[in-house]
Amino acid sequence: MSVKSCEKLEKSQVALTIEVEAAAFEAAIEKAYRKTRGKIKVPGFRPGKAPRKIIEGMYGVEVFFDEAINIAFPDAYEAAVKEQELNVVGYPSVELMGECTRQGFTFKAVAPVYPEVVLGQYKGLSAPKEEVKVTPEDVDRRLQSLTDRNTRLVSVDREAKEGDTAVIDFEGFLDGEPFDGGKGSNHSLELGSHSFVPGFEEQVAGMKAGDEKDIDITFPEDYHADLAGKAVVFKVKCHEVKEKEVPALDDEFAKDVSEFDTLAELKADLEKQVAEDREKDAQRGFEDALMEQVAQGITAEIPDAMVDGQARQFLENFRTQIAQQGIPYEQYLQMTGIQEAKLLEDAKEPALRQVKMDLAVMAIIKAEGIEATDEDVEAEYAKLAEQFGMDLEMVKKYIQADQVKDQICSRKAVEVVVGSATAVKPEEGPAGEEAPAAEET
């Protein structure tokens, strides 16, 4: 392999003209012969046993050229990229140049590369930061969450009403026939949760343990196609009615749910927690606004491949999220009528913002000479082990040191920006409004 030329193109692309010489191409032809000979019929020979020269004599010396080019290309391309010390960020487009003969061939590969980044201002910036305030209502909401978590469900011998939980069997019938997804056993349904089709929970109200009832329902017009607008009948049997037993908000409750002896002490701690959480949110918003300014201030010819790759990563993250919610991706597309191409297109704008953010962070790391020491890495591993409740060696097994170093360096880069910045009230922010939130760095 020899690189005939390396030309820089617009949008951070490089055109490599690469020659594969006779010896390397001969080796590729031999590999192509061994790979494909079993598919070539030659009279007098069992499949795969015909000599290469016999096959070439019958079908021409070029019979293995196409496969040999496919075999030779990756190694030649990778060697050229290494020789030219290129940081490629996507797949190349390839074009064969001229004629391919036993003496080899020449091809042109156009590849996107990591762009040259010029930083704008990243020190001495200002951004809005929310003032942290905690009201009695905020504490009450946090206390209500504690109350909800410690509320029990107890069986009652009466008719179910809104707020109760009814344990039911149900089966839906369309034109007298059961339909898919319309059956459940011992299902705990909280009346008023609106988790079932409209009208269902309202008709379960009034049932007692042992009651059976037919419930008439018409599905909404915007329901999925098979049942949209259809009238169905659900046969329902109630096994049990449960009501919430809410604990009294007193000192005993505080002792049960916390390390405090009085409700007043618990409320004071909840107020402190709310303040700390809001301070973290305000600080995160402040940092995001600063980094958004830095990202928008860079100058770089960003290749489309970087944006496309980030958009696909966003899509993969989305697929994972809905899968965790129990929704198959293909089913989601069918239910919503959205094409994957539309999801990718919609992801491109946030993907571009994220790519700019990543480029800005990497440029700061380079400009400031930021490094992650062995001590930094060990401390980060220890922090992760504590966070996930895992053995330290197990964390090291699953998370590579390079990943940890990248995370540490990125965090230090953000600290450089934040450490020299000034927080202002939101109404005093740039152009009199809050700066937009950035993607997570």
Side-chain angles (χ1 to χ4, degrees):
M1 183 282 305
S2 64
V3 178
K4 296 299 182 183
S5 66
C6 179
E7 178 186 2
K8 289 185 178 181
L9 305 178
E10 62 180 8
K11 295 206 75 171
S12 297
Q13 296 186 101
V14 169
L16 290 166
T17 302
I18 304 166
E19 181 182 4
V20 177
E21 293 98 342
F25 191 48
E26 171 57 31
I29 293 173
E30 182 63 22
K31 288 180 181 178
Y33 157 68
R34 295 182 183 280
K35 180 179 178 180
T36 61
R37 61 186 175 181
K39 302 175 184 178
I40 301 174
K41 294 182 180 180
V42 178
F45 293 91
R46 286 180 295 154
K49 297 299 181 181
R52 176 179 150 188
K53 288 187 176 181
I54 297 293
I55 296 173
E56 290 176 336
M58 289 184 61
Y59 295 97
V61 294
E62 301 89 358
V63 64
F64 298 114
F65 278 14
D66 286 346
E67 185 63 32
I69 290 171
N70 291 334
I71 291 172
F73 159 71
D75 289 343
Y77 172 71
E78 289 178 18
V81 167
K82 185 176 181 180
E83 178 185 302
Q84 298 298 313
E85 299 181 342
L86 300 176
N87 185 2
V88 296
V89 294
Y91 296 106
S93 61
V94 181
E95 176 188 0
L96 195 63
M97 308 291 288
E99 186 180 0
C100 176
T101 69
R102 283 290 180 96
Q103 301 306 309
F105 65 96
T106 300
F107 67 94
K108 182 178 182 180
V110 177
V113 295
Y114 196 90
E116 295 180 4
V117 180
V118 178
L119 277 168
Q121 183 181 356
Y122 66 95
K123 292 182 180 179
L125 299 172
S126 65
K129 183 179 179 181
E130 292 288 345
E131 183 181 352
V132 174
K133 297 178 181 178
V134 181
T135 67
E137 291 75 20
D138 296 327
V139 177
D140 288 343
R141 279 192 290 271
R142 191 67 66 96
L143 192 60
Q144 184 62 51
S145 178
L146 266 180
T147 303
D148 292 343
R149 290 203 297 271
N150 288 275
T151 294
R152 297 190 306 145
L153 289 176
V154 295
S155 293
V156 290
D157 186 16
R158 60 167 173 75
E159 294 181 351
K161 62 182 181 180
E162 185 168 341
D164 290 340
T165 294
V167 182
I168 60 172
D169 293 342
F170 62 90
E171 185 170 14
F173 294 85
L174 175 63
D175 297 329
E177 298 293 330
F179 56 85
D180 290 341
K183 185 176 182 178
S185 298
N186 290 314
H187 180 81
S188 293
L189 174 64
E190 182 180 349
L191 305 185
S193 64
H194 307 296
S195 57
F196 263 46
V197 64
F200 186 93
E201 295 172 24
E202 291 83 350
Q203 296 185 64
V204 172
M207 296 183 72
K208 296 189 298 183
D211 286 354
E212 297 186 28
K213 184 178 183 180
D214 286 354
I215 292 178
D216 296 317
I217 291 292
T218 299
F219 280 96
E221 294 294 339
D222 59 355
Y223 207 72
H224 72 73
D226 293 342
L227 295 171
K230 301 290 180 62
V232 302
V233 176
F234 281 97
K235 293 187 177 297
V236 180
K237 180 176 182 178
C238 180
H239 293 294
E240 188 178 9
V241 176
K242 300 178 181 180
E243 71 175 5
K244 294 178 180 178
E245 187 177 79
V246 182
L249 289 176
D250 53 22
D251 291 345
E252 288 303 315
F253 174 77
K255 291 176 184 178
D256 289 340
V257 302
S258 71
E259 72 271 25
F260 301 105
D261 293 327
T262 67
L263 184 61
E265 289 175 314
L266 174 59
K267 284 186 174 182
D269 185 67
L270 291 177
E271 182 178 2
K272 180 182 176 183
Q273 289 180 28
V274 173
E276 289 175 350
D277 290 345
R278 291 193 174 172
E279 177 57 34
K280 289 179 182 177
D281 290 342
Q283 182 65 19
R284 187 179 300 114
F286 175 56
E287 292 176 5
D288 287 347
L290 290 170
M291 294 308 299
E292 181 72 12
Q293 291 182 52
V294 177
Q296 293 303 319
I298 68 169
T299 301
E301 291 189 354
I302 301 174
D304 293 337
M306 291 187 77
V307 179
D308 293 342
Q310 184 63 63
R312 290 202 167 275
Q313 184 59 57
F314 282 162
L315 181 59
E316 285 303 310
N317 294 345
F318 175 69
R319 293 181 68 154
T320 300
Q321 289 171 3
I322 65 170
Q324 290 171 346
Q325 297 171 21
I327 307 173
Y329 177 65
E330 297 301 329
Q331 180 180 331
Y332 169 82
L333 294 180
Q334 184 178 5
M335 289 168 56
T336 59
I338 298 176
Q339 300 292 321
E340 184 174 86
K342 179 66 166 56
L343 291 176
L344 281 171
E345 186 62 33
D346 290 345
K348 284 191 176 180
E349 184 177 342
L352 177 58
R353 291 201 303 270
Q354 183 63 55
V355 169
K356 284 185 175 181
M357 186 71 69
D358 294 340
L359 291 174
V361 170
M362 292 302 296
I364 293 171
I365 291 171
K366 181 179 179 181
E368 295 289 325
I370 294 173
E371 295 181 347
T373 66
D374 292 341
E375 291 77 11
D376 290 335
V377 174
E378 286 301 315
E380 187 70 16
Y381 271 131
K383 179 181 175 182
L384 291 170
E386 181 179 357
Q387 179 181 342
F388 295 113
M390 293 175 63
D391 179 75
L392 179 60
E393 294 306 315
M394 190 64 69
V395 173
K396 290 182 177 181
K397 178 180 178 181
Y398 287 108
I399 305 179
Q400 299 296 318
D402 285 345
Q403 292 176 269
V404 175
K405 287 181 179 180
D406 289 344
Q407 187 176 14
I408 292 169
C409 290
S410 295
R411 189 164 59 237
K412 287 184 177 182
V414 174
E415 289 170 357
V416 168
V417 176
V418 176
S420 65
T422 303
V424 298
K425 292 182 180 180
E427 60 268 24
E428 296 175 3
E433 60 184 28
E434 294 189 28
E439 300 290 332
E440 289 291 339
T441 59

